[in-house]
Amino acid sequence: MLSSTLLGSVLESAPDAIVIIDLDGRMLFANRQMQALFGFERRELLDANIDLLLPERYRARHAEHRLRFASGGGRVRPMGSGRELFGLHRSGSEFPVEISLSPIHDDGLLLVAAAIRDVSEHRQAQSELLEARLAADRANSAKSRFLATASHDLRQPLQSLGLLNGSLRRLIRDADALEALNQQETAIASMARLLNALLDISKLESGAIRADVADFAVTPLFELLCREFQPMAQAKGLTLLWSGRECSVRSDPALVGQILRNLITNAVKYTTAGRVELRCVASGERVLIEVADTGIGIAAEHLDAICDEFYQVGVPTNAAREGYGLGLSIVKRLVDLLGLTLTIRSEPGRGSVFGLAIPLARGKAADSPPAADPALAPAAAPRQARILLVEDDAGVRDATRLLLRVAGHAVVAVATREEALAAAATAGGFELVVSDYHLGNDGSGLEVIAALRECCPAPFNAIIVTGDTSSAMRELPQDPRLRLLSKPVHADKLLALVGELLPPV
Ligand code: ADP
């Protein structure tokens, strides 16, 4: 048992300020820290009312608080939980405090012991932390806005550049000039890749991409991807194949396709010999889809970082190299959006396996494979035709008109729905309509095409050009006379699709 002298010195040297009061608020005991905290001599505190240490505004209700503490029988609890408490220094300045109350029973009398702690520094740190978080949030949304605006506004001029390059390649015969144009085309394609990656990130950040979950079969998707990537793999002498039994999964087929496209692009890019294999294995409630390669592999110390933006193994930021270090960061965002898991196994010099675990389908999956990008369909022999072009961006409109004209077509180019309907009435219809999807205040290209179909008796095919394939895809009517082309449009792809959609002579 400790002696009362020892107990007294424990209270005296406690790190918190400790005061004992009776139910009238009279201070019966104050330790050394009380003097330091409030700036009073101990003799000034003893027998004085606790009101002395409270800012004026709290005094009127303090007696009430004491009575409430007593009527509850008194139990150990923090004072004023959820409210900010302040102490009053002798100098008149206030400081934030935290107070713990404990009852003391002394000869049938209820006393209150209060341990008081100055939390000025803690509050200061908290508010600095909050301020820093708000500043970081502000900077992050400014970055997202900048990214969205810059990439969106870059797309139209880039689109025009690509189309003008396509026109020039058809007009120019001089070998050196053609070589310059080919190099320019490569540079434009590389800019388009970066821009598409930035647009993808910006759309994912802004929440504009939403998952459209459905049951779908994996093998038709594998077949589609193998067809799509065969030329790229063949150009490097790699074998591209898929294996696994038919299984169906539940997720967004278009976004899963985009994840796999990024993984296959990397697998081919980072493999110099051997093969790239798509595998699908059912395990329990999930299906594991793997993209495996026999490429250069990734050392263990890089595995955690390769999904970060702009991270490339062994390449300092800003160094020139194929790719921008964005592919896997897009994959990671898509995987998070879909609530899937991505695993990476890799051995330097032997290859890598990227695994995507997807929940099994609930019902029977749709049999039809996801629609192929119409731009990849084989081109038919071109012929000349009367084409109506609807595009609200003047630069893109002029470049597209020039390309179509160079290819021998008769083009009427308009900016609005009204102009489109007027042109159709004057010309007595067109054989093909090429329209932008987003037409500003004029609604969508789909609406313009529907209006044209109503007013023109002669049937025509149409191409919708869009950077926003996901929403256009959702709205796209089941119309075999309508095709979608995604931005930035490559001149050759546009002309090939035009040739394919023209009615036979
Ligand atoms: P990028 O390929 O444009 O550099 P990514 O974000 O797609 O950017 O990939 C980041 C890095 O991860 C790459 O630079 C590469 O070093 C590494 N990497 C990704 N996939 C593979 C792979 N299949 N094999 C080897 N390295 C890979």
Side-chain angles (χ1 to χ4, degrees), residues 233-249:
Q234 249 166 19
K236 290 191 75 179
L238 304 175
T239 310
L240 173 63
L241 68 154
W242 65 268
S243 64
R245 281 197 296 133
E246 176 56 80
C247 36
S248 295
V249 293

PDB file of all heavy atoms in Angstrom, residues 233-249:
ATOM      1  N   ALA A 233       2.104  -9.372 -83.523  1.00  0.00           N
ATOM      2  CA  ALA A 233       2.953 -10.472 -83.045  1.00  0.00           C
ATOM      3  C   ALA A 233       3.795 -11.028 -84.196  1.00  0.00           C
ATOM      4  O   ALA A 233       5.003 -11.264 -84.040  1.00  0.00           O
ATOM      5  CB  ALA A 233       2.078 -11.570 -82.440  1.00  0.00           C
ATOM      6  N   GLN A 234       3.125 -11.197 -85.343  1.00  0.00           N
ATOM      7  CA  GLN A 234       3.833 -11.764 -86.499  1.00  0.00           C
ATOM      8  C   GLN A 234       5.008 -10.879 -86.911  1.00  0.00           C
ATOM      9  O   GLN A 234       6.089 -11.378 -87.220  1.00  0.00           O
ATOM     10  CB  GLN A 234       2.867 -11.869 -87.680  1.00  0.00           C
ATOM     11  CG  GLN A 234       2.547 -13.313 -88.024  1.00  0.00           C
ATOM     12  CD  GLN A 234       1.355 -13.400 -88.949  1.00  0.00           C
ATOM     13  OE1 GLN A 234       0.990 -12.417 -89.612  1.00  0.00           O
ATOM     14  NE2 GLN A 234       0.733 -14.565 -88.998  1.00  0.00           N
ATOM     15  N   ALA A 235       4.785  -9.564 -86.852  1.00  0.00           N
ATOM     16  CA  ALA A 235       5.844  -8.638 -87.262  1.00  0.00           C
ATOM     17  C   ALA A 235       7.091  -8.837 -86.402  1.00  0.00           C
ATOM     18  O   ALA A 235       8.202  -8.548 -86.836  1.00  0.00           O
ATOM     19  CB  ALA A 235       5.339  -7.206 -87.153  1.00  0.00           C
ATOM     20  N   LYS A 236       6.938  -9.372 -85.175  1.00  0.00           N
ATOM     21  CA  LYS A 236       8.107  -9.614 -84.315  1.00  0.00           C
ATOM     22  C   LYS A 236       8.508 -11.083 -84.294  1.00  0.00           C
ATOM     23  O   LYS A 236       9.342 -11.495 -83.494  1.00  0.00           O
ATOM     24  CB  LYS A 236       7.784  -9.167 -82.878  1.00  0.00           C
ATOM     25  CG  LYS A 236       7.678  -7.664 -82.740  1.00  0.00           C
ATOM     26  CD  LYS A 236       7.636  -7.250 -81.279  1.00  0.00           C
ATOM     27  CE  LYS A 236       8.989  -7.358 -80.614  1.00  0.00           C
ATOM     28  NZ  LYS A 236       8.970  -6.944 -79.210  1.00  0.00           N
ATOM     29  N   GLY A 237       7.841 -11.884 -85.133  1.00  0.00           N
ATOM     30  CA  GLY A 237       8.152 -13.313 -85.206  1.00  0.00           C
ATOM     31  C   GLY A 237       7.685 -14.073 -83.968  1.00  0.00           C
ATOM     32  O   GLY A 237       8.259 -15.110 -83.606  1.00  0.00           O
ATOM     33  N   LEU A 238       6.644 -13.580 -83.280  1.00  0.00           N
ATOM     34  CA  LEU A 238       6.149 -14.249 -82.071  1.00  0.00           C
ATOM     35  C   LEU A 238       4.904 -15.067 -82.378  1.00  0.00           C
ATOM     36  O   LEU A 238       4.135 -14.732 -83.275  1.00  0.00           O
ATOM     37  CB  LEU A 238       5.783 -13.209 -81.000  1.00  0.00           C
ATOM     38  CG  LEU A 238       6.874 -12.223 -80.592  1.00  0.00           C
ATOM     39  CD1 LEU A 238       6.313 -11.201 -79.611  1.00  0.00           C
ATOM     40  CD2 LEU A 238       8.042 -12.975 -79.967  1.00  0.00           C
ATOM     41  N   THR A 239       4.717 -16.137 -81.599  1.00  0.00           N
ATOM     42  CA  THR A 239       3.492 -16.918 -81.724  1.00  0.00           C
ATOM     43  C   THR A 239       2.477 -16.340 -80.740  1.00  0.00           C
ATOM     44  O   THR A 239       2.795 -16.133 -79.569  1.00  0.00           O
ATOM     45  CB  THR A 239       3.761 -18.387 -81.323  1.00  0.00           C
ATOM     46  OG1 THR A 239       4.904 -18.818 -82.041  1.00  0.00           O
ATOM     47  CG2 THR A 239       2.586 -19.282 -81.619  1.00  0.00           C
ATOM     48  N   LEU A 240       1.282 -16.105 -81.231  1.00  0.00           N
ATOM     49  CA  LEU A 240       0.213 -15.607 -80.348  1.00  0.00           C
ATOM     50  C   LEU A 240      -0.902 -16.641 -80.355  1.00  0.00           C
ATOM     51  O   LEU A 240      -1.393 -17.011 -81.410  1.00  0.00           O
ATOM     52  CB  LEU A 240      -0.297 -14.260 -80.874  1.00  0.00           C
ATOM     53  CG  LEU A 240      -1.518 -13.676 -80.167  1.00  0.00           C
ATOM     54  CD1 LEU A 240      -1.217 -13.363 -78.706  1.00  0.00           C
ATOM     55  CD2 LEU A 240      -1.973 -12.386 -80.871  1.00  0.00           C
ATOM     56  N   LEU A 241      -1.267 -17.169 -79.203  1.00  0.00           N
ATOM     57  CA  LEU A 241      -2.297 -18.204 -79.175  1.00  0.00           C
ATOM     58  C   LEU A 241      -3.119 -18.126 -77.894  1.00  0.00           C
ATOM     59  O   LEU A 241      -2.740 -17.417 -76.950  1.00  0.00           O
ATOM     60  CB  LEU A 241      -1.669 -19.596 -79.304  1.00  0.00           C
ATOM     61  CG  LEU A 241      -0.816 -20.073 -78.136  1.00  0.00           C
ATOM     62  CD1 LEU A 241      -0.796 -21.577 -78.089  1.00  0.00           C
ATOM     63  CD2 LEU A 241       0.576 -19.549 -78.219  1.00  0.00           C
ATOM     64  N   TRP A 242      -4.254 -18.825 -77.881  1.00  0.00           N
ATOM     65  CA  TRP A 242      -5.016 -18.873 -76.632  1.00  0.00           C
ATOM     66  C   TRP A 242      -5.310 -20.321 -76.278  1.00  0.00           C
ATOM     67  O   TRP A 242      -5.328 -21.192 -77.137  1.00  0.00           O
ATOM     68  CB  TRP A 242      -6.283 -18.034 -76.720  1.00  0.00           C
ATOM     69  CG  TRP A 242      -7.328 -18.501 -77.706  1.00  0.00           C
ATOM     70  CD1 TRP A 242      -7.451 -18.103 -79.006  1.00  0.00           C
ATOM     71  CD2 TRP A 242      -8.387 -19.423 -77.466  1.00  0.00           C
ATOM     72  NE1 TRP A 242      -8.513 -18.722 -79.595  1.00  0.00           N
ATOM     73  CE2 TRP A 242      -9.112 -19.534 -78.669  1.00  0.00           C
ATOM     74  CE3 TRP A 242      -8.796 -20.165 -76.354  1.00  0.00           C
ATOM     75  CZ2 TRP A 242     -10.224 -20.359 -78.787  1.00  0.00           C
ATOM     76  CZ3 TRP A 242      -9.909 -20.988 -76.485  1.00  0.00           C
ATOM     77  CH2 TRP A 242     -10.602 -21.076 -77.689  1.00  0.00           C
ATOM     78  N   SER A 243      -5.557 -20.578 -74.997  1.00  0.00           N
ATOM     79  CA  SER A 243      -5.883 -21.935 -74.575  1.00  0.00           C
ATOM     80  C   SER A 243      -6.871 -21.868 -73.420  1.00  0.00           C
ATOM     81  O   SER A 243      -7.069 -20.803 -72.825  1.00  0.00           O
ATOM     82  CB  SER A 243      -4.614 -22.660 -74.130  1.00  0.00           C
ATOM     83  OG  SER A 243      -4.089 -22.016 -72.993  1.00  0.00           O
ATOM     84  N   GLY A 244      -7.455 -23.002 -73.109  1.00  0.00           N
ATOM     85  CA  GLY A 244      -8.408 -23.050 -71.998  1.00  0.00           C
ATOM     86  C   GLY A 244      -9.772 -23.478 -72.500  1.00  0.00           C
ATOM     87  O   GLY A 244     -10.081 -23.329 -73.682  1.00  0.00           O
ATOM     88  N   ARG A 245     -10.562 -24.008 -71.532  1.00  0.00           N
ATOM     89  CA  ARG A 245     -11.892 -24.453 -71.923  1.00  0.00           C
ATOM     90  C   ARG A 245     -12.853 -23.280 -71.870  1.00  0.00           C
ATOM     91  O   ARG A 245     -12.594 -22.277 -71.217  1.00  0.00           O
ATOM     92  CB  ARG A 245     -12.354 -25.568 -71.000  1.00  0.00           C
ATOM     93  CG  ARG A 245     -11.695 -26.902 -71.404  1.00  0.00           C
ATOM     94  CD  ARG A 245     -12.405 -28.058 -70.807  1.00  0.00           C
ATOM     95  NE  ARG A 245     -12.292 -28.003 -69.349  1.00  0.00           N
ATOM     96  CZ  ARG A 245     -13.310 -28.179 -68.538  1.00  0.00           C
ATOM     97  NH1 ARG A 245     -14.514 -28.403 -69.005  1.00  0.00           N
ATOM     98  NH2 ARG A 245     -13.138 -28.147 -67.235  1.00  0.00           N
ATOM     99  N   GLU A 246     -13.973 -23.420 -72.555  1.00  0.00           N
ATOM    100  CA  GLU A 246     -14.969 -22.352 -72.566  1.00  0.00           C
ATOM    101  C   GLU A 246     -15.395 -21.992 -71.145  1.00  0.00           C
ATOM    102  O   GLU A 246     -15.762 -22.875 -70.371  1.00  0.00           O
ATOM    103  CB  GLU A 246     -16.177 -22.847 -73.372  1.00  0.00           C
ATOM    104  CG  GLU A 246     -17.332 -21.868 -73.396  1.00  0.00           C
ATOM    105  CD  GLU A 246     -16.888 -20.508 -73.916  1.00  0.00           C
ATOM    106  OE1 GLU A 246     -16.779 -20.345 -75.130  1.00  0.00           O
ATOM    107  OE2 GLU A 246     -16.610 -19.643 -73.071  1.00  0.00           O
ATOM    108  N   CYS A 247     -15.296 -20.753 -70.750  1.00  0.00           N
ATOM    109  CA  CYS A 247     -15.907 -20.356 -69.483  1.00  0.00           C
ATOM    110  C   CYS A 247     -16.501 -18.966 -69.627  1.00  0.00           C
ATOM    111  O   CYS A 247     -16.076 -18.176 -70.466  1.00  0.00           O
ATOM    112  CB  CYS A 247     -14.941 -20.436 -68.306  1.00  0.00           C
ATOM    113  SG  CYS A 247     -13.273 -19.998 -68.668  1.00  0.00           S
ATOM    114  N   SER A 248     -17.496 -18.695 -68.796  1.00  0.00           N
ATOM    115  CA  SER A 248     -18.178 -17.408 -68.871  1.00  0.00           C
ATOM    116  C   SER A 248     -17.972 -16.653 -67.570  1.00  0.00           C
ATOM    117  O   SER A 248     -17.952 -17.235 -66.497  1.00  0.00           O
ATOM    118  CB  SER A 248     -19.669 -17.622 -69.101  1.00  0.00           C
ATOM    119  OG  SER A 248     -19.839 -18.205 -70.364  1.00  0.00           O
ATOM    120  N   VAL A 249     -17.826 -15.359 -67.708  1.00  0.00           N
ATOM    121  CA  VAL A 249     -17.543 -14.531 -66.535  1.00  0.00           C
ATOM    122  C   VAL A 249     -18.553 -13.394 -66.441  1.00  0.00           C
ATOM    123  O   VAL A 249     -19.329 -13.151 -67.364  1.00  0.00           O
ATOM    124  CB  VAL A 249     -16.121 -13.941 -66.621  1.00  0.00           C
ATOM    125  CG1 VAL A 249     -15.086 -15.015 -66.514  1.00  0.00           C
ATOM    126  CG2 VAL A 249     -15.944 -13.136 -67.896  1.00  0.00           C
TER     127      VAL A 249
END
